[in-house]
Amino acid sequence: MPTTVHAGARLDRLPVSRFHWRILGLISAGAFLDAFDVYLAGGVMAAVKSEGFGTLPQAAAFMSMTFLGMLLGAAMAGYVGDRFGRRYSYQFNLALFGFASIAAVFSPSMTFLIVCRFIMGLGLGAELVVAAGTLGEFIPPSHRGRWGAILGAIIGSGLLIATSIGYLVIPNLGWRYMFAIAGAGAIGIWVLRKTMPESPRWLESVGRTEEAEAVLQRIEAEITAQKGPLAPYAKTASAAPAHAPLSRLFASDMRGRLAAATLTAIAANVSVYGFVAWLPTFLVSKGQTMVQSLGFTTLMSFGSIAGSLVAVAIADKVSRRASLIIAGLLIILFGAIYPNVEGTVPLAIAGFLLVSSIYMLTAIGLFLYVPEMFPTAYRLRGTGFAGMCARAGSMLTPFMTVWLFENFGLEGVLMMVGTVLALMMIAVIAVRVEGRGASLDAIAQDPDAAPARRTVGLAGE
C-alpha cells in the first residue's frame, strides 16, 4: 500500500478538461438548487403575508428557523465531510432539503411550514459548505479562482431565477409550487451525483491512500485520453495522515485565519439575508402590491449575476484580500445611496449596483477565500464553523431587520450591514493569507503535515 500518492501535486498539474466541467456541473447544480430554495423565501413570505396565511412576525420566525437549520447543517456538514468524506456529505444534505421541500408543499399551517423550513435548513446549510470546500480540491491553482467564482455565479443566479419564477408562479399557481420545483430538482440532482468521485486530497489526508490512488488513476486515465500525456508532478516524501481534531482550528497558528474566515462568512450572510432576501417584504410594507414588489425585485436581482460575473473576471487577477475590501467598500457606498434616491429608475439602478456588490463579495468570500484558509484534513470543519457562526448571526438578522426597518427605515438596516462589513475588512487586512494562484497545500502550511512534505524529486506518468 502506498504511503503517499501526492494527490495535491497530481491534481494541480492536470489540464482543465471535461472531467473538471463535469465536477463543476454536479457540484453547482445542487448548490444552485440550494440557493433557489433559500431565495424563494422572500417571494413566498410576501405571498404568505399578502394572503393572510402568516404574519410578519411569523415570517421572521420562518427566516430564523431557516438559519437555525442552516447553522446546524453547516456544523453537521463540516463533521460529516471531514469524517466520512465529501461525497457522503453532499448526497445526504441534498436528499434532506429535497424531501423537506416537497413536504412543505402540503403545509396545512404556518407552524408546519416553519418546521419543514427548519429541516430544509439542515440540508441548505450543509450544501454550501460542501460545495465551497470540495470544488477547489479538484481544480488546478491557475484556474481555482475563476472556477470558484463561476460556482458563486451559478449560486448567485439562484436569486434571479427564484424571483423570476416566483413572479410568474406565485400569483398564478401559489407559493406552494415554489417548494415543489425546488424539491423535485434536488432529488433529480441527487441521482446524477451518484457518479461523482470522492476527493483524492481528502482520501490521502485520512490515510486511505489505496482508494486515493485508484481515484487518481481513473481521473488521470480519463484526462490523458482527452489531452494526451500529462506533465510531471512534484514528488514528496511520505506523509502520515494529519491529526485534525476540532481543537486544531483554535490553535495559535489558525485563530487568525478562523476569525477572518468567520467574519467574511458573517458579512456575506448579513448582506444577503439582511437586505436582499427581504426586498419583496420591504416593498409590500411600503405600499406596493405583491406583484409590483416581485417585479421590482426581479429587476434588481440581475445584480446577482452581474456581481458574480465581475468576481469571475477578477478572481485570478486580483488578490482575494483586495477583492473583498473593494466589494465591502462598494456595498457601503451604494448602501448609503440607495435609501436617498427618488424615482423608479434611479432606485432600480442603485439597487442593482448594491446587489451586484453584495454578490461580488459573496462569490469571492464564500467560495474562494473561506475554504482556502484551511488544510484539507479539516477544511470542511473550518468552512462549516465559519458558516455556522454566520448562520447564528443570520438567525438574529431577521428580527434585527424588522426592528431596524420599523424604527429607522431602510437606512437602519443598511447601517447594520455596513458595521459587519467594516469588521470583515479589518480582519482581512490583519490576516496576511493570500490564495490567488497558489496550491492549496502551500496556502494551508499545515504544521502537522508540513515537515513530511519536502520535495524529493519529480515524477511523471
Side-chain angles (χ1 to χ4, degrees), residues 118-142:
F118 168 74
I119 299 172
M120 280 183 246
L122 294 173
L124 296 172
E127 178 67 22
L128 294 185
V129 168
V130 180
T134 302
L135 180 65
E137 294 184 357
F138 286 96
I139 306 302
S142 59

Side-chain angles (χ1 to χ4, degrees), residues 358-378:
I358 289 171
Y359 279 88
M360 175 183 166
L361 171 72
T362 300
I364 293 173
L366 295 186
F367 304 109
L368 294 175
Y369 184 76
V370 171
E372 286 177 348
M373 299 293 277
F374 306 101
T376 298
Y378 41 95

Side-chain angles (χ1 to χ4, degrees), residues 134-200:
T134 302
L135 180 65
E137 294 184 357
F138 286 96
I139 306 302
S142 59
H143 291 75
R144 191 176 63 246
R146 189 183 306 107
W147 283 53
I150 290 173
L151 173 63
I154 292 170
I155 294 172
S157 71
L159 172 63
L160 176 61
I161 302 299
T163 53
S164 299
I165 292 177
Y167 180 69
L168 298 172
V169 169
I170 294 175
N172 297 296
L173 299 175
W175 54 266
R176 297 173 189 271
Y177 280 82
M178 296 297 289
F179 290 114
I181 292 170
I187 293 171
I189 297 301
W190 181 89
V191 174
L192 294 176
R193 272 189 177 181
K194 294 180 74 173
T195 63
M196 186 171 164
E198 182 56 88
S199 166

Side-chain angles (χ1 to χ4, degrees), residues 38-47 49 56 63 159-160 163 270-304 334-335 338-339 347-356 358-359 397-398 401-402 405 410-411 413-414 417:
V38 171
Y39 294 132
L40 62 78
V44 166
M45 286 300 97
K49 181 176 182 294
L56 191 60
M63 293 287 193
L159 172 63
L160 176 61
T163 53
V270 169
S271 297
V272 172
Y273 301 123
F275 177 72
V276 177
W278 282 84
L279 277 175
T281 305
F282 288 151
L283 295 171
V284 167
S285 298
K286 293 177 73 172
Q288 296 194 28
T289 67
M290 182 189 68
V291 174
Q292 287 174 330
S293 71
L294 290 174
F296 195 69
T297 303
T298 299
L299 291 175
M300 290 192 294
S301 296
F302 279 95
S304 65
F334 295 126
Y338 182 80
L347 188 64
I349 293 173
F352 170 83
L353 293 173
L354 176 58
V355 173
S356 297
I358 289 171
Y359 279 88
T397 298
T401 298
V402 170
F405 184 68
L410 192 54
E411 294 89 344
V413 177
L414 292 169
V417 175

